[in-house]
Amino acid sequence: MPSFRVILAVGRLRPGVDPRSVEPAAADAARELAVVEASSVDVVAGEARITVRFMEDNVRLALRVAEHTVAHVQTLADTGAWRLTERVGGRWFRRA
């Protein structure tokens, strides 16, 4: 089964949201629709980014998981750009 990642920029949190809860909440949202392999928070060029890696049968279904994950995180924080990538061989390719 192919491996995908949704990578999402996260900004200001909504009032009362614990910063430590956002990444697990993103992984939980993806887990509602797919098998989650891993999740992490990174800071790239001063921007917080959440990455959730998951397995899905095809790009169409993976896009559904990514959009669901992004929508859930948007209830917790301001979000910026996001992208969906697929692992093919040893490389990641952008799909959305």
Side-chain angles (χ1 to χ4, degrees):
M1 185 176 291
S3 184
F4 294 89
R5 295 185 304 194
V6 58
I7 303 165
L8 170 65
V10 179
R12 183 177 310 161
L13 300 179
R14 305 274 181 248
V17 173
D18 183 344
R20 297 169 296 188
S21 71
V22 180
E23 181 241 333
D28 289 344
R31 194 172 287 114
E32 291 174 4
L33 302 175
V35 174
V36 171
E37 298 176 291
S39 63
S40 64
V41 176
D42 301 292
V43 177
V44 179
E47 176 180 73
R49 293 185 191 170
I50 294 176
T51 301
V52 180
R53 183 173 169 170
F54 60 94
M55 295 187 300
E56 195 50 89
D57 288 332
N58 58 55
V59 174
R60 182 181 57 79
L61 294 173
L63 183 57
R64 184 177 71 121
V65 174
E67 289 172 338
H68 178 74
T69 303
V70 170
H72 184 70
V73 173
Q74 288 173 334
T75 68
L76 304 173
D78 292 339
T79 61
W82 66 272
R83 65 185 180 274
L84 173 68
T85 60
E86 178 183 13
R87 187 170 179 97
V88 178
R91 297 182 57 198
W92 290 96
F93 294 91
R94 188 170 186 159
R95 300 299 187 218

